[in-house]
Amino acid sequence: MTTTSPDAIVSAAPPGPAAFLLRNRIFDEIAVGDSASIERTLTAQDIRLFAVLAGDAHPQHMGAGDVASAGMHGVIAQGMWGGALISAVLGTRLPGPGTVYLGQTLRFLQPVHVGDRLTIAVTVSGRDEERKQLTLACTCVNQHGQTVIDGEARVLAPTVRIERTATALPEMRADAGGDGLPRLLAHVRPLGAIRVAVVHPCDALSLGGALDARAAGIIEPVLIGPAAKIRATAEAARLDITGIAIEDVPHSHAAAARAAEMAGLGQVEALMKGSLHTDELMSAVLDARAGLRTRRRLSHCFLMQTPHYPRPFIITDAAINIAPTLEEKADIIRNAIELAHAIGVEQPKVAILAAVETVSPRMPATLDAAALCKMADRGQIAGGVLDGPLAFDNAVSAAAARVKGIDSPVAGQADVLVVPDLESGNMLAKQLEYLGEAATAGIVLGARVPIMLTSRADARDTRLASCAIGALLAHRWRRTPP
């Protein structure tokens, strides 16, 4: 017998601040075979909030550390998350308010992954008339029909009718912890500092960012620009540049040219943008006389981490290629895959974004996405798993993908987001940074050396993180040049 009466479920109430009523079922109304259920999709936020409450920050749940090497298959829910949902059914559905939990046994049969949708059900299997106690069989079944948790609960059923307004739960968010940058620096620092040409560091932010990276032990800067202006900037900002090499050139164009020349000669292993326009620096890098070009198209990657997503991810290209062609997008993806490999993602999941998830001749971005996926199928793009077109929600939310009937190895767990053009990518990245609390780093790939490319408005933490990623790539490229 399946419970369907409004007495056993959350039922609608008149509109207003309290929109739902909870009504229980007393012991005498409940028979063996009665059941109730709820459905719930696991999100990354669920895992983080449960970890905050339980103090369980195991990397298997939080996605921290080298999960793959530990033999774990991605981020999964804490086992008792499912147990808590069983409690929710008992307390709100059957028997409902007034229920006293007496005991519970559980078996954890399958892992629950982010995006899995569970049906949590309880069925009355026994009644103790004298004690007013119920025994209920409990199951959690995923969207594939697999039982992930089963067990048995014992409860003291209510004997008095209770009807009350459902409590509106407060909005809660678990912070990302702010440990991404310290962990990155701790990983890169033992590799040793690399020599970096800092191009035209003539404002306090760009000069201070270079000095922060030097103090962190990840770069040895060479300051390239008008020496008098650099020294005046340091004095005004009270920054100590004693003992740091300065290449004196008259202006920003000359600084970019000299930095590119030094990189081409192997005198520095990376370039770092200071207070000059991006196109000035990129023009110098692309000049054939510098010798920095490879067969790849140059492209920019934002490496981002936000409290609202369970892993770091890459957005590309949001700073270099304005309206990339299909061939250029292929290189953009290859560069992003290379960066993903460098940060430890062995087989990155690449979502090629468009406004919709279906191929439409009227939307060129969807045609490019389909072609790029076929290029990957033919081995023209290697090292990652591609899918597209995917709308942004499908790329980052398995629940959204499931609602739209998308069966994809990438949907809901993308490591790389490939945008259709620079405008959409730049707006997406800036929205995540300023409204989504994302920590960011910016790097250009496709040249013989990594180029730390940040906005003139970026904070010093962003510049420091960009230097750390650049150093990581430079050390990697010592063994395998791009």
Side-chain angles (χ1 to χ4, degrees), residues 50 77-90 101 104-108 112 118 120 122 138-140 148-150 153:
F50 200 92
Q78 299 89 345
M80 287 308 298
W81 177 77
L85 294 180
I86 291 171
S87 175
V89 182
L90 297 171
Y101 223 150
Q104 178 80 62
T105 61
L106 293 173
R107 294 191 308 156
F108 303 99
V112 180
L118 299 187
I120 303 96
V122 300
C138 311
T139 59
C140 297
V148 297
I149 301 174
D150 68 13

Side-chain angles (χ1 to χ4, degrees), residues 346-372:
E346 293 183 6
Q347 193 75 355
K349 296 177 174 64
V350 180
I352 306 167
L353 299 184
V356 296
E357 61 280 352
T358 54
V359 178
S360 170
R362 293 179 295 174
M363 302 182 72
T366 67
L367 297 176
D368 283 353
L372 290 163

Side-chain angles (χ1 to χ4, degrees), residues 115-199:
D116 281 353
R117 185 163 187 81
L118 299 187
T119 299
I120 303 96
V122 300
T123 302
V124 178
S125 58
R127 288 168 43 92
D128 183 332
E129 190 76 37
E130 182 180 350
R131 296 178 178 152
K132 307 300 181 186
Q133 293 181 10
L134 299 173
T135 302
L136 301 100
C138 311
T139 59
C140 297
V141 179
N142 67 19
Q143 69 274 15
H144 305 299
Q146 300 168 322
T147 300
V148 297
I149 301 174
D150 68 13
E152 186 176 83
R154 288 189 307 106
V155 303
L156 180 64
T159 56
V160 177
R161 169 76 63 206
I162 298 176
E163 181 178 295
R164 63 178 54 162
T165 302
T167 301
L169 296 177
E171 288 291 326
M172 298 182 68
R173 184 174 66 230
D175 292 334
D179 64 343
L181 180 57
R183 285 194 291 112
L184 176 61
L185 295 177
H187 176 72
V188 175
R189 191 180 294 114
L191 301 177
I194 63 168
R195 200 160 190 253
V196 175
V198 185
V199 187

